[in-house]
Amino acid sequence: MKNGPDIAEVAALIGDPARANILAALMSGKALTASELAAEAGVTRATASSHLSKLQNGGLLAARSQGRHRYFTLANAEVGNVLETLMGLAARQGQLRTRTGPKDVAMRQARVCYDHLAGDLSVRMFDSLTSAGVFAHGPKGLGLTDAGRARMVEFGIDFTPLDSARRPLCRSCQDWSERRSHLAGGLGAALLSRFYDLNWARRVPDSRVVTFTPKGVRAFNEAFPLA
Amino acid sequence: MKNGPDIAEVAALIGDPARANILAALMSGKALTASELAAEAGVTRATASSHLSKLQNGGLLAARSQGRHRYFTLANAEVGNVLETLMGLAARQGQLRTRTGPKDVAMRQARVCYDHLAGDLSVRMFDSLTSAGVFAHGPKGLGLTDAGRARMVEFGIDFTPLDSARRPLCRSCQDWSERRSHLAGGLGAALLSRFYDLNWARRVPDSRVVTFTPKGVRAFNEAFPLA
DNA sequence: TTCATAGTTCGATCTTAATCGAACCATCGC
DNA sequence: GCGATGGTTCGATTAAGATCGAACTATGAA
């Protein structure tokens, strides 16, 4: 009778409001302490601690102790992907909700998805790179063509840490606002931090929003033109 | 404090074991009656009815009454996508579970994802079509090139119902077993039913598994060769 | 009409788990 | 050493909701 793995278990973990708030806060990619997450979830430290251990036990969170603090992050990008997908569904069938707030617009344009970029800009980048022949489908999943790799090197991506990591280089991730995929994986993360380094973009504190400077937008569009 | 839509709500809906069983059963794409779903979830008709109304209310299920029966299906392919993604996560972090059962192998190769094909074969098809230049990324999402459309027509796809439907033609859907995307949307559904028509594949009753005949596999590999 | 089956509604029961305060442990700063 | 802060554990409380049987409605069959 039973075949598939226990989808109910993980859904139930996400299904509690306090835990959902914790997970949503961690979608920013920043590591947060237990107290910060308690505040974020609007709950005492005691209950937050309970939730955090459950989430960690369920494989959704990773924790590392540092001094007397305990920093939590999403266990991996896959968890972020699931959360994005769920947000997409929730947004869709809550059709009657207020559509576009001012902050909402910024979120739709560019936001952090755990450790890489999501939103309109990210989707456009993915399209641009795809039609430029940067990606190749291999037996191990999405990969880079030789030309694509060269182009990324030229853009300033350092492949040495990426190649030695056991994390896949390219991965597609469902986008929350657009109904498309964007680039995740090690390369996706590296590109986002490259944007920061180039001063094209900056994080808005306490938010998933990423703002691009005017210069940054121009450069971005030039680097990733639409076909 | 609140921005994103209520992810916890939908997750909680999926998080109950009985409801998860109901949803899993409907991933087969078949419309099932309330009693059948009650049996599937291992619960009385009374409780099933309660669950079903909650799921429908939450926008996850669609129902249509026919005679004294009430047939339920997933509300749309997006819901199927979310369930697949969740299964992927659940499978991954339930690492210790028995890996590959015999039925599991068949599931990984080819299965129904609500109304289109998923699994290894489906991913390979998506790759093949992609590198053959069938798809184009437009502002409205994934689309077909002229050549791609011609090729699909030649393969026997009738576009008249697809073009008039408000459902998007091409959509990517996260794959449960592979960590990749495969083709969903109207075209994905049309291709699957075309495979049935050509007698390449057949549904295994009471299961999501799709078995390809030896002839079907040959023809499939010929029609969608790997680059 | 009468009976059977599909499905929903209702009320009652019962289990689960979220929550908090308080006590407790660990680490840092002094 | 001593206090202060971050975090977990424990016990008790409480609220939510999953479950069932029984009554009720509606459709179809005889």
Side-chain angles (χ1 to χ4, degrees):
Chain A
M1 173 93 311
K2 57 137 4 342
N3 46 353
D6 221 337
I7 172 181
E9 238 165 85
V10 316
L13 277 176
I14 308 176
D16 177 79
R19 285 195 292 262
N21 284 336
I22 289 174
L23 292 168
L26 292 174
M27 277 295 278
S28 70
K30 293 214 304 196
L32 297 176
T33 69
S35 299
E36 289 171 321
L37 290 170
E40 199 70 40
V43 94
T44 69
R45 269 170 286 156
T47 65
S49 181
S50 161
H51 287 312
L52 288 169
S53 72
K54 275 172 191 151
L55 287 170
Q56 191 182 3
N57 225 334
L60 298 189
L61 291 190
R64 102 192 115 83
S65 293
Q66 189 163 298
R68 56 180 161 179
H69 291 274
R70 196 120 188 271
Y71 286 95
F72 291 88
T73 59
L74 298 188
N76 52 59
E78 178 81 5
V79 177
N81 182 19
V82 167
L83 294 175
E84 276 271 322
T85 310
L86 272 171
M87 286 179 194
L89 183 61
R92 192 131 19 258
Q93 107 256 66
Q95 326 97 337
L96 309 178
R97 250 170 251 273
T98 50
R99 251 299 164 213
T100 43
K103 188 175 181 179
D104 209 46
V105 170
M107 283 274 282
R108 279 167 195 280
Q109 197 195 14
R111 66 183 175 279
V112 167
C113 180
Y114 178 50
D115 67 354
H116 56 271
L117 195 67
D120 179 45
L121 284 181
S122 183
V123 167
R124 269 161 53 190
M125 177 176 75
F126 190 53
D127 288 355
S128 174
L129 292 175
T130 301
S131 45
V134 165
F135 300 119
H137 292 279
K140 296 220 139 202
L142 205 60
L144 284 179
T145 61
D146 290 344
R149 192 181 178 94
R151 179 168 165 189
M152 287 296 124
V153 169
E154 187 191 3
F155 187 66
I157 300 298
D158 178 13
F159 277 92
T160 29
L162 298 181
D163 286 333
S164 57
R166 69 196 183 314
R167 176 180 188 189
L169 194 61
C170 302
R171 176 87 37 218
S172 66
C173 178
Q174 294 273 111
D175 204 279
W176 170 74
S177 45
E178 315 296 305
R179 295 183 71 167
R180 318 261 305 274
S181 294
H182 57 248
L183 181 66
L187 181 60
L191 278 168
L192 176 57
S193 71
R194 183 70 180 139
F195 296 154
Y196 294 147
D197 288 347
L198 290 169
N199 279 321
W200 287 7
R202 204 174 307 119
R203 285 288 301 276
V204 174
D206 300 327
S207 157
R208 291 177 57 192
V209 172
V210 173
T211 49
F212 274 71
T213 66
K215 237 177 280 188
V217 173
R218 258 200 313 276
F220 186 94
N221 286 330
E222 196 172 337
F224 309 107
L226 293 175
Chain B
M1 175 93 313
K2 55 137 359 348
N3 47 354
D6 221 338
I7 172 180
E9 236 165 87
V10 313
L13 277 176
I14 308 177
D16 177 79
R19 285 195 292 262
N21 284 336
I22 288 174
L23 291 168
L26 292 174
M27 278 294 279
S28 69
K30 294 213 306 196
L32 296 176
T33 68
S35 299
E36 288 170 321
L37 290 170
E40 199 70 40
V43 93
T44 68
R45 268 168 286 158
T47 65
S49 181
S50 162
H51 287 310
L52 288 169
S53 72
K54 275 172 190 149
L55 287 170
Q56 190 181 5
N57 225 334
L60 299 188
L61 292 190
R64 101 192 115 83
S65 293
Q66 189 164 299
R68 57 179 162 179
H69 292 274
R70 196 122 187 268
Y71 286 95
F72 291 88
T73 60
L74 299 188
N76 52 59
E78 178 81 4
V79 177
N81 182 21
V82 167
L83 294 175
E84 276 269 322
T85 309
L86 272 172
M87 286 180 195
L89 182 61
R92 191 131 20 257
Q93 109 258 62
Q95 325 96 339
L96 310 179
R97 248 170 254 275
T98 51
R99 253 296 166 215
T100 43
K103 188 176 183 179
D104 208 47
V105 171
M107 283 275 282
R108 279 168 195 280
Q109 196 197 16
R111 67 183 175 278
V112 166
C113 179
Y114 177 49
D115 67 353
H116 57 270
L117 195 67
D120 178 47
L121 283 181
S122 184
V123 168
R124 271 162 53 191
M125 177 175 75
F126 190 53
D127 288 355
S128 173
L129 292 175
T130 301
S131 46
V134 165
F135 300 118
H137 292 278
K140 299 219 136 200
L142 205 60
L144 285 178
T145 60
D146 290 345
R149 194 183 177 92
R151 180 169 163 186
M152 287 296 126
V153 168
E154 188 190 2
F155 186 66
I157 301 297
D158 178 13
F159 277 91
T160 29
L162 299 180
D163 287 334
S164 56
R166 71 199 183 311
R167 175 179 188 189
L169 194 59
C170 302
R171 175 86 39 215
S172 66
C173 179
Q174 295 273 111
D175 204 280
W176 169 77
S177 45
E178 315 296 307
R179 296 184 70 169
R180 319 261 307 274
S181 294
H182 58 247
L183 180 66
L187 181 59
L191 278 169
L192 176 57
S193 72
R194 182 71 180 139
F195 297 152
Y196 294 148
D197 288 347
L198 289 170
N199 279 320
W200 288 6
R202 205 171 305 120
R203 283 290 300 278
V204 173
D206 301 327
S207 156
R208 292 178 59 192
V209 173
V210 173
T211 49
F212 275 70
T213 66
K215 235 178 280 188
V217 174
R218 259 201 313 277
F220 186 93
N221 285 331
E222 196 172 338
F224 309 108
L226 293 175

